[in-house]
Amino acid sequence: MKLMMTKRNKYLLTGGLLLLTATPSFALFGIGDIVFDPTSYASLVSQLTTLESQYKMLQNNITHFSLKQQWQTTLNAMKNANVGNLFGETSGMSIALNTNSPSASATAWTAGTIKVSGSTSTYLQGQTPGSAQLSQLAMIEASDSISPDCLTAVGQYRGARTQNVTANNTLASQQFDSSDGTNTEVEQLNLLNAAEAQKMSEMQSQGVLQACLASQMTVANMQQRNAAAQDLNTAAFVQQQRSTNNVSAANESNTWQTYIP
């Protein structure tokens, strides 16, 4: 009996070894239509693991944030400009500063500035470019061109900011919404694109204002430069006249009376 059991064990051991050394695809229990392929099984497990990882990633992408409000800021509204106009001296100024109205800007600038009279124009006809008088006229003409445009730029910015309040608030509301509907990956990407578009519009609007500031600084620099040049010219003229006309006490009879002190 012991000998028979030993042989049986040998048979089982041999069969097990044959099973382990079999080809990747083989029949189970002698039934030809039931086949086990270890290679295909391992590939299937790998695919299922990958799908599970992708599913978890997608699930995380649609999970909403519940504490978005901690990032929310407030859009400050701009107060409309209200310029006093007691005698018509600022006619159109309030409209120019609050709306996109080039005509109101031109009217306001003309009403609030000193005009060059006809007699002054006649006097200036005898001057040459580069003279003190024509330099002053050039500054006035540059300012008359730039300043109305700057008034319009300010009005455009104020008007556009007021018009954009609804769009800005809507975007902010959706960005900080914590529901699932606005927290999908596609929705969040759309919101990012919308925010970038709004940022671009704001930068372009501010670019117009910056160009206006640069223009105004150019006119202001022209005025300061002309004033400095005029001072130097006056000092040189006075020095020349003092050298030519002795004004000391010993020569009072030769004192020159028309020089600029």
Side-chain angles (χ1 to χ4, degrees), residues 18-259:
L18 290 174
L19 180 63
L20 292 176
T21 58
T23 58
S25 179
F26 55 88
L28 297 178
F29 309 113
I31 304 175
D33 58 347
I34 302 179
V35 178
F36 174 75
D37 187 348
T39 303
S40 298
Y41 177 76
S43 177
L44 180 61
V45 171
S46 177
Q47 293 177 11
L48 290 175
T49 303
T50 302
L51 289 174
E52 183 181 9
S53 299
Q54 293 177 349
Y55 171 75
K56 289 182 178 180
M57 181 182 68
L58 292 174
Q59 188 179 32
N60 291 333
N61 286 341
I62 64 175
T63 300
H64 65 266
F65 300 97
S66 58
L67 297 176
K68 283 186 172 184
Q69 283 70 24
Q70 63 183 333
W71 304 327
Q72 191 166 9
T73 57
T74 301
L75 177 64
N76 295 322
M78 294 187 67
K79 178 181 177 295
N80 285 341
N82 186 16
V83 183
N85 186 28
L86 188 60
F87 301 106
E89 68 281 2
T90 60
S91 177
M93 186 69 73
S94 295
I95 298 175
L97 291 175
N98 293 310
T99 63
N100 180 9
S101 178
S103 60
S105 299
T107 299
W109 184 255
T110 301
T113 55
I114 299 175
K115 298 176 180 60
V116 177
S117 66
S119 58
T120 301
S121 298
T122 302
Y123 164 72
L124 292 174
Q125 289 178 358
Q127 305 297 322
T128 59
S131 65
Q133 292 78 7
L134 289 188
S135 296
Q136 289 291 96
L137 179 62
M139 183 193 66
I140 293 171
E141 291 172 337
S143 180
D144 287 344
S145 175
I146 291 170
S147 298
D149 286 344
C150 289
L151 288 174
T152 302
V154 173
Q156 286 176 338
Y157 185 78
R158 288 178 178 273
R161 189 173 175 88
T162 300
Q163 294 174 359
N164 293 336
V165 166
T166 301
N168 290 333
N169 290 340
T170 300
L171 178 61
S173 176
Q174 292 179 353
Q175 284 178 326
F176 294 101
D177 181 48
S178 59
S179 64
D180 292 337
T182 58
N183 278 272
T184 63
E185 184 177 10
V186 173
E187 179 69 17
Q188 288 297 308
L189 290 175
N190 287 336
L191 293 176
L192 287 174
N193 289 335
E196 288 298 319
Q198 287 190 358
K199 184 189 300 184
M200 181 62 69
S201 297
E202 178 67 17
M203 291 174 61
Q204 290 174 343
S205 297
Q206 292 191 13
V208 175
L209 295 178
Q210 291 171 4
C212 172
L213 290 175
S215 301
Q216 294 285 18
M217 290 177 64
T218 300
V219 173
N221 181 63
M222 181 185 293
Q223 182 179 20
Q224 293 179 354
R225 187 264 179 203
N226 287 342
Q230 184 67 31
D231 287 343
L232 291 175
N233 293 339
T234 300
F237 178 75
V238 170
Q239 181 63 33
Q240 179 185 11
Q241 295 302 323
R242 284 178 175 176
S243 299
T244 304
N245 303 280
N246 194 341
V247 294
S248 61
N251 298 286
E252 290 180 349
S253 59
N254 296 324
T255 299
W256 183 63
Q257 303 291 340
T258 61
Y259 77 91

